[in-house]
């Protein structure tokens, strides 16, 4: 499980970094210049002006990374050992996406319906995460 977590983190880090960097670069230079002109240091400008202005893009990058990590199947199949065990950190495990990938080729009837239900559960997880993030972003905008 630990290996799968590390692989997913390394695989999704470039996506999160690129989208976050793009949103930080999209902050107008005038905003940074105004902060510096008011006497803020570079560090204060970054953390008090630039990051709050790019908050929406950074949160979107994290949500995109989490969504990709939840849906990533093949890397987990190859790294996690692909056997059904209790989820102990240093044993091989079987994640939901791994079960779908491994069993779909020979499933039929109720077994196939159960695999589609697992896919529906994964879809529901991603939708719940998106709804929560949207509520947080819209709630944060009202306070400002």
């Amino acid at each position: 499980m630990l290996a799968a977590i590390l692989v997913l983190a390394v695989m999704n880090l470039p996506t999160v970094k690129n989208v976050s960097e793009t949103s930080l670069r999209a902050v107008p230079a005038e905003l940074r210049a105004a902060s510096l002109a008011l006497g803020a240091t570079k560090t204060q400008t970054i953390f008090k002006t630039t990051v709050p202005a790019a908050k929406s893009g950074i949160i979107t990058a994290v949500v995109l990374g989490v969504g990709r990590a939840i849906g990533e199947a093949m890397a987990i199949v190859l790294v996690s050992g692909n056997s059904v065990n209790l989820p102990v950190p240093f044993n091989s495990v079987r994640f939901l996406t791994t079960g779908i990938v491994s069993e779909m080729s020979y499933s039929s009837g109720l077994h196939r319906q159960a695999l589609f239900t697992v896919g529906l559960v994964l879809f529901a997880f991603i939708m719940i995460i998106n709804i929560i993030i949207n509520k947080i972003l819209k709630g944060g905008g009202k306070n400002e």
Side-chain angles (χ1 to χ4, degrees), residues 21-93:
E21 185 178 353
T22 301
S23 67
L24 286 169
R25 288 182 191 268
V27 174
E30 293 85 14
L31 199 59
R32 284 188 222 107
S35 176
L36 292 169
L38 289 171
T41 63
K42 284 188 178 186
T43 305
Q44 288 173 330
T45 299
I46 290 169
F47 288 109
K48 300 282 186 179
T49 306
T50 308
V51 171
K55 180 178 73 169
S56 176
I58 294 169
I59 292 174
T60 302
V62 171
V63 170
L64 179 65
V66 168
R68 285 189 61 195
I70 288 173
E72 187 61 52
M74 296 315 288
I76 294 176
V77 169
L78 297 172
V79 171
S80 67
N82 196 26
S83 66
V84 183
N85 286 335
L86 287 174
V88 180
F90 298 108
N91 281 349
S92 58
V93 293

Side-chain angles (χ1 to χ4, degrees), residues 107-125:
S107 66
S108 64
L110 186 60
H111 184 204
R112 181 173 286 250
Q113 291 174 1
L115 292 176
F116 276 103
T117 304
V118 170
L120 186 62
V121 167
L122 288 169
F123 177 74
F125 281 156

